[in-house]
Amino acid sequence: NAGVTQTPKFQVLKTGQSMTLQCAQDMNHEYMSWYRQDPGMGLRLIHYSVGAGITDQGEVPNGYNVSRSTTEDFPLRLLSAAPSQTSVYFCASSRTGTSGLNEQFFGPGTRLTVL
Amino acid sequence: RKEVEQDPGPFNVPEGATVAFNCTYSNSASQSFFWYRQDCRKEPKLLMSVYSSGNEDGRFTAQLNRASQYISLLIRDSKLSDSATYLCAVKEGWGKFQFGAGTQVVVTP
């Protein structure tokens, strides 16, 4: 299994440009999430999904859209990039185990710079 | 106030020593708890889940105190390779996790 994959690894955008960060998992996990990580701020939840067709907002959803058309894929779209969106973005997936202790598995991250 | 808080450190620990640190959470309905390890510019990786009765994995011991709403991580016999940032994670509902900002541990020779 490849686990959780993210593309691209690095991206530079100009203010106002749009782009989609890709995330895919091959573990048949129901749950997927997007986080951003900024220095001193830890991981902040942007959006998450509990299954295909179901998404919900996290702590910092403004400026981002998501969709979940399949179990495997959970793309994050930046509508009009702003310098404040410069960050490292992590995608994660998890499932419900029999014990309920369903840890998250993370992708390698996308480092985004908005000029 | 952040829902999950950690002392950012750094905790400077001599090799072979013991270090412990806590993570507090504000949502009393939180369901599950985890410790993750994150190396510089890498993705977080699960270190251990935290069970209600506490649990141990080699040199690492995790505890949960629901009454006071905190979890703890203790590292015994610290190795240089233990230098990292340790993130606590709290599962609040279906697929929703909250993370602390992390505690940096630096193990020195």
Side-chain angles (χ1 to χ4, degrees):
Chain A
N1 287 350
V4 181
T5 58
Q6 291 183 239
T7 57
K9 285 189 169 52
F10 301 92
Q11 183 70 51
V12 178
L13 292 177
K14 294 181 180 177
T15 296
Q17 287 185 313
S18 64
M19 80 158 293
T20 300
L21 308 186
Q22 301 292 344
C23 174
Q25 53 91 9
D26 61 0
M27 297 176 282
N28 201 31
H29 285 173
E30 299 97 328
Y31 309 144
M32 297 185 75
S33 302
W34 274 103
Y35 297 88
R36 60 177 289 173
Q37 187 172 37
D38 303 294
M41 300 290 290
L43 290 163
R44 291 186 291 169
L45 183 64
I46 304 172
H47 286 285
Y48 66 105
S49 169
V50 299
I54 307 170
T55 65
D56 204 349
Q57 296 181 351
E59 181 184 354
V60 288
N62 292 341
Y64 308 94
N65 272 358
V66 291
S67 60
R68 184 98 181 269
S69 56
T70 67
T71 299
E72 294 79 17
D73 300 299
F74 191 42
L76 177 72
R77 183 163 179 82
L78 279 69
L79 307 172
S80 177
S84 61
Q85 294 179 304
T86 294
S87 189
V88 181
Y89 291 84
F90 289 105
C91 179
S93 73
S94 63
R95 62 174 175 82
T96 302
T98 53
S99 67
L101 291 173
N102 48 335
E103 73 270 19
Q104 288 194 312
F105 296 86
F106 284 83
T110 294
R111 283 153 183 80
L112 176 68
T113 300
V114 183
L115 303 176
Chain B
R1 179 173 174 233
K2 285 181 67 70
E3 294 191 38
V4 180
E5 296 201 52
Q6 295 183 249
D7 183 339
F11 285 68
N12 294 298
V13 186
E15 197 173 4
T18 295
V19 61
F21 40 89
N22 294 339
C23 165
T24 59
Y25 61 95
S26 60
N27 185 352
S28 59
S30 298
Q31 300 172 353
S32 308
F33 307 88
F34 308 88
W35 282 105
Y36 282 78
R37 172 194 170 119
Q38 186 174 29
D39 295 296
C40 188
R41 299 179 67 80
K42 299 281 192 179
E43 72 271 26
K45 293 187 177 178
L46 182 70
L47 178 67
M48 58 196 300
S49 305
V50 185
Y51 300 126
S52 297
S53 56
N55 49 301
E56 194 174 296
D57 184 359
R59 298 180 293 106
F60 298 86
T61 300
Q63 296 281 352
L64 167 63
N65 186 318
R66 281 197 184 270
S68 300
Q69 295 186 200
Y70 73 88
I71 62 173
S72 64
L73 181 67
L74 182 146
I75 307 173
R76 286 188 304 279
D77 188 22
S78 297
K79 310 292 185 191
L80 295 175
S81 57
D82 294 334
S83 296
T85 296
Y86 292 85
L87 306 173
C88 67
V90 175
K91 179 171 172 281
E92 295 190 337
W94 293 104
K96 186 177 181 182
F97 292 74
Q98 295 278 359
F99 282 80
T103 295
Q104 185 183 7
V105 172
V106 179
V107 182
T108 56

